[in-house]
Amino acid sequence: MEYAREQGLWKRGVLWLLLLGPLFFASYGFANWFTGQREDVGSLVFAWEPQIPLWPWTIVPYWSIDLLYGLSFLLPACRREMDRHALRLLAAQVICVACFLLWPLRFTFERPPLDGTFGLMFDVLMGFDKPFNQAPSLHITLLVIIWAMFANHTRGPFWRGLLHGWMALIGISVLTTWQHHFIDLPTGLLAGFLCLWLLPLQGATPLKQIRLANDPRRWRLAMRYGLGATLCAVLAVKLGGTWLWLFWPAASLALVALNYLLFGAGGFQKQATGRLSPAATALLAPYLLGAWINSRLWTHRQPAPSQVVEGIDLGRLPATGDLDGYAAVVDLCAELPLRHTPQHYCSLPSLDLVAPDALTCQHAAEAIERLRHKGPVLVCCALGYSRSATAVAAWLLHSGRCQSVESAVALIRQARPQIVLGPQHLAALQGMLDAGAKLEVAHAG
């Protein structure tokens, strides 16, 4: 992403470093000291972990994250980017230290004495970094955030390849320096992507989008996804071992439940390009896989779009080859990405199984009317049966092709009999129609 670079940002970066630096050492040191006094500190080690080699030279990439931490404050091009980056690092500190205090774990391997420069670097490290703070690895959590910042400002295949190679080496080094057990890596990645999701560089933070749902349908869906998350978490705890990977779908389903309950469609962070943010993609990956499979199973008998009127087609979220012949796409799907988009693309993310409101219907109608002049338009959602059908009905009403909600729905049903429009969808369409009529009366007066 590109920003017009502001002048004098280095001063703001220095101020953030002066704040975050002491806070890092104070909070991390306190967590080390406090956990060291406890007698209930356990460990979580897989049977294969003793096979991980000790590579003393990897202390160099391990230490390098400290330098990259400071250099990362030279990269932001505007105040917003600088502040979001700093707040991400602060959030990482708060999340990880809280986990260290609530669920402490201990590193159990005994590292043999090491000589030379590498041995000296280990000695300096162990003077501060005790073996008590493990999952999630703060090293990995910070790596995700710093990696994202450098990736935003690194250009060219050589430099990007060098960047990704070195950052990956830093990630591996937490194991090959015998500083962390394996469980610390995926939990650190989870915490890092959570920080990126909470504080996106584009758009508002989800914390500003919190609105407690007043729709009973959203509450029921939130409950179902919450129960799924709970089930996965319980199985992970009870079965252990490889089953611990169920914490990933547990976190994914929990986030979906929160989107229905609090954050709305914005929690999926679908961007103007049709893709979800990298953080949302990583956090929601298990759910996204299930949602995509579900969409294809429901539509395997009717994969092709249906023409409602000439130039306006209604269908499921298209694959790359399905876009041939379309000049524009109006996308109502919040939860699934559209990997490839035509030149003219409009995303109006709406929650699955929830009727779009009257305002979304109005925006969809206006988008379809605007884009149909570019050429054939595909209006889509996950299945092409509900949200997108509502959008096409809204356009039929907005354009005057249909005079009532019933006639608009009947026309769409002729083209695509499988559409599912319940009372809430019809009410939203009627609300849009009534609002338009009131506006016309106001203008006439």
Side-chain angles (χ1 to χ4, degrees):
M1 111 191 31
E2 297 289 345
Y3 292 96
R5 179 166 292 277
E6 297 180 14
Q7 299 299 315
L9 274 180
W10 66 271
K11 298 178 183 178
R12 197 175 187 87
V14 169
L15 289 175
W16 272 116
L17 274 175
L18 291 175
L19 171 65
L20 293 174
L23 180 63
F24 173 88
F25 286 103
S27 60
Y28 194 68
F30 171 76
N32 270 312
W33 171 82
F34 182 81
T35 306
Q37 313 304 308
R38 300 173 62 169
E39 297 181 355
D40 60 340
V41 181
S43 61
L44 203 167
V45 188
F46 294 100
W48 52 266
E49 288 192 54
Q51 306 303 316
I52 297 175
L54 173 64
W55 293 340
W57 63 270
T58 55
I59 191 65
V60 176
Y62 186 91
W63 264 109
S64 71
I65 197 171
D66 297 292
L67 175 62
L68 296 174
Y69 186 106
L71 292 177
S72 68
F73 284 91
L74 300 177
L75 299 176
C78 64
R79 285 191 176 190
R80 175 189 172 87
E81 189 182 16
M82 176 72 77
D83 292 346
R84 285 291 170 93
H85 177 60
L87 290 172
R88 286 172 169 181
L89 296 173
L90 176 60
Q93 193 73 19
V94 171
I95 292 171
C96 290
V97 170
C99 290
F100 297 156
L101 296 174
L102 294 172
W103 305 289
L105 292 173
R106 180 188 179 97
F107 186 77
T108 60
F109 293 176
E110 290 292 334
R111 188 187 301 111
L114 299 171
D115 299 324
T117 302
F118 299 145
L120 177 61
M121 294 177 72
F122 273 101
D123 291 340
V124 173
L125 177 64
M126 295 314 297
F128 171 73
D129 196 1
K130 305 302 180 183
F132 300 111
N133 301 328
Q134 295 294 299
S137 166
L138 180 57
H139 212 84
I140 295 296
T141 305
L142 295 176
L143 174 64
V144 170
I145 297 169
I146 294 169
W147 193 339
M149 176 54 64
F150 274 88
N152 284 341
H153 294 277
T154 302
R155 301 291 179 264
F158 172 78
W159 292 110
R160 290 187 67 84
L162 183 62
L163 168 71
H164 296 319
W166 187 259
M167 294 296 184
L169 187 57
I170 293 175
I172 295 171
S173 72
V174 303
L175 295 177
T176 57
T177 54
W178 285 13
Q179 283 293 108
H180 285 275
H181 288 304
F182 178 77
I183 192 64
D184 309 340
L185 271 72
T187 51
L189 290 170
L190 181 64
F193 283 114
L194 178 60
C195 294
L196 298 187
W197 178 82
L198 282 171
L199 295 155
L201 297 183
Q202 291 180 318
T205 169
L207 298 178
K208 287 188 176 181
Q209 301 172 15
I210 291 179
R211 300 288 187 277
L212 187 62
N214 57 8
D215 182 350
R217 181 69 173 169
R218 286 179 59 176
W219 277 86
R220 289 194 294 270
L221 290 166
M223 181 70 71
R224 292 174 187 174
Y225 284 115
L227 288 174
T230 302
L231 176 61
C232 289
V234 169
L235 289 174
V237 171
K238 293 294 184 181
L239 300 178
T242 305
W243 290 93
L244 288 171
W245 282 107
L246 284 175
F247 275 118
W248 190 6
S252 178
L253 292 174
L255 182 54
V256 175
L258 289 174
N259 286 343
Y260 276 94
L261 188 62
L262 297 175
F263 303 121
F268 289 99
Q269 295 187 347
K270 190 159 185 176
Q271 302 171 332
T273 60
R275 300 192 178 194
L276 276 61
S277 72
T281 300
L283 293 172
L284 295 169
Y287 164 79
L288 296 177
L289 177 60
W292 183 85
I293 293 173
N294 178 71
S295 72
R296 267 35 194 174
L297 288 176
W298 275 100
T299 58
H300 77 282
R301 294 184 183 276
Q302 190 182 21
S306 306
Q307 185 180 83
V308 179
V309 298
E310 185 177 357
I312 305 295
D313 286 8
L314 171 63
R316 70 183 186 180
L317 200 72
T320 303
D322 300 334
L323 288 172
D324 294 342
Y326 290 105
V329 167
V330 176
D331 179 7
L332 277 292
C333 184
E335 72 279 7
L336 290 175
L338 186 56
R339 297 293 179 185
H340 301 280
T341 59
Q343 181 180 0
H344 305 288
Y345 172 75
C346 177
S347 177
L348 295 168
S350 302
L351 291 171
D352 187 25
L353 300 176
V354 175
D357 58 24
L359 183 60
T360 302
C361 290
Q362 182 66 33
H363 289 164
E366 292 171 353
I368 296 171
E369 179 63 23
R370 181 178 69 254
L371 293 178
R372 74 181 183 87
H373 300 289
K374 308 293 183 181
V377 178
L378 172 63
V379 185
C380 63
C381 59
L383 307 182
Y385 294 159
S386 185
R387 288 168 286 181
S388 53
T390 307
V392 173
W395 172 75
L396 290 171
L397 296 168
H398 175 76
S399 63
R401 285 170 172 77
C402 292
Q403 302 303 314
S404 69
V405 173
E406 292 75 15
S407 61
V409 173
L411 179 59
I412 297 171
R413 201 177 296 280
Q414 287 179 3
R416 198 169 178 84
Q418 298 86 351
I419 65 168
V420 179
L421 297 178
Q424 288 183 318
H425 300 86
L426 303 181
L429 290 168
Q430 188 63 51
M432 184 204 75
L433 193 61
D434 292 344
K438 291 180 181 178
L439 188 61
E440 289 182 5
V441 170
H443 285 166

